[in-house]
């Protein structure tokens, strides 16, 4: 028999996960491995995830923001005829494609629908796992645990480098910092990132759209920063981490 036939078959390689969206990354960082919960649950999380999806679409030139003045509010408008490949973002794009709408209306429309499919995507790609356990030794429950891919740790490290060391971010990290600032939960990251008046002030600048000198030159980044600055922080989460 040919010696080649005696060689063991290589293990079937698992498919490489597609690059995660900013919305997925935001939810992953907000996941607390120590407690198995997501920080900012409820309306803050809904608003922030909607904002993350809009920023994703702005980065990829799927949408733009039309400024209508102080009294009318800004409108989100689709500018691409080709929907995103990522299923969650495609669903958001399809809703936006029905016509321009004021940003707060769109955030209220899409935000509540995002948590579940984004969690499913994070589990699918191995960044989170669902485990069955018994609470108090009796009641069955499903809990979330860190998938140990290292992706969350890398994201947190990038955020820490920007907020603690003043590093110049790339646009995804700038968007992530702004969205975490929006969540009102940054002070809860004191063990992973740290918390001080300097960090709070840097986070606030990102929340207001000051994303750094390098990324600010990009048109898509300016639109994304405007989405965050003008749209996500004027109501329920505007002052939670000031």
């Amino acid at each position: 028999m040919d010696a080649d036939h005696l060689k063991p078959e290589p293990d079937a390689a698992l498919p490489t996960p597609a690059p995660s969206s900013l919305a997925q990354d935001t939810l992953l960082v907000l996941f607390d491995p120590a407690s198995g919960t997501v920080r900012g649950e409820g309306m803050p999380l809904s608003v922030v995830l909607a904002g993350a999806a809009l920023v994703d679409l702005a980065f990829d030139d799927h949408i733009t923001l039309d400024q209508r003045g102080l009294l009318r509010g800004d409108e989100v408008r689709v500018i691409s005829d080709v929907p995103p490949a990522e299923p969650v973002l495609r669903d958001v794009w399809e809703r936006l494609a029905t016509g321009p709408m004021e940003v707060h209306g769109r955030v209220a429309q899409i935000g509540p629908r995002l948590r579940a499919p984004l969690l499913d995507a994070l589990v699918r790609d191995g960044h989170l796992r669902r485990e069955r356990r018994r609470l108090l030794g009796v009641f069955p429950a499903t809990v979330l645990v860190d998938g140990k891919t290292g992706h969350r740790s890398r994201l947190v490290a990038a955020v820490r480098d920007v907020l603690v060391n003043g590093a110049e971010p790339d646009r995804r990290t700038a968007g992530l910092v702004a969205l975490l600032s929006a969540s009102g939960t940054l002070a809860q990251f004191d063990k992973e990132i740290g918390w001080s008046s300097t960090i709070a002030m840097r986070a606030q600048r990102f929340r207001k759209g000051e994303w750094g000198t390098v990324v600010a030159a990009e048109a898509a980044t300016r639109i994304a920063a405007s989405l965050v600055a003008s749209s996500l922080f004027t109501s329920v989460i505007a002052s939670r981490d000031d």
Side-chain angles (χ1 to χ4, degrees), residues 137-158:
V138 177
F139 304 104
T142 300
V143 298
L144 291 169
V145 298
D146 190 352
K148 305 298 184 183
T149 62
H151 186 50
R152 183 182 182 278
S153 296
R154 290 188 291 272
L155 293 171
V156 171

Side-chain angles (χ1 to χ4, degrees), residues 58 61 171 215-225:
D61 296 317
R171 69 178 185 177
V215 298
E218 303 176 21
T221 301
R222 290 199 301 272
I223 294 168

Side-chain angles (χ1 to χ4, degrees), residues 43-61:
M43 185 172 288
L45 180 64
S46 173
V47 173
V48 169
L49 294 181
L54 293 177
V55 170
D56 265 320
L57 294 172
F59 279 165
D60 291 335
D61 296 317

Side-chain angles (χ1 to χ4, degrees), residues 15-139:
T16 302
S20 57
S21 66
L22 181 60
Q24 288 173 245
D25 285 350
T26 301
L27 183 56
L28 181 60
V29 173
L30 287 170
F31 170 73
D32 178 14
S35 65
T37 61
V38 178
R39 295 180 171 107
E41 285 282 22
M43 185 172 288
L45 180 64
S46 173
V47 173
V48 169
L49 294 181
L54 293 177
V55 170
D56 265 320
L57 294 172
F59 279 165
D60 291 335
D61 296 317
H62 287 293
I63 63 172
T64 191
L65 189 66
D66 293 331
Q67 296 181 339
R68 299 296 185 180
L70 293 176
L71 298 179
R72 297 183 59 187
D74 297 339
E75 286 186 348
V76 179
R77 177 170 55 88
V78 167
I79 56 174
S80 170
D81 294 330
V82 180
E86 201 281 322
V88 176
L89 294 180
R90 183 169 63 246
D91 181 67
V92 173
W93 179 90
E94 288 173 350
R95 294 181 184 280
L96 300 177
T98 58
M101 181 184 287
E102 193 269 336
V103 178
H104 290 96
R106 285 302 191 192
V107 166
Q109 180 188 63
I110 66 179
R113 303 171 180 269
L114 291 175
R115 182 187 186 278
L118 289 173
L119 275 180
D120 288 344
L122 290 170
V123 171
R124 177 200 66 207
D125 292 341
H127 301 311
L128 294 178
R129 290 186 293 110
R130 290 187 173 101
E131 288 187 354
R132 294 286 293 171
R133 295 181 183 175
R134 289 189 177 274
L135 299 179
L136 303 176
V138 177
F139 304 104

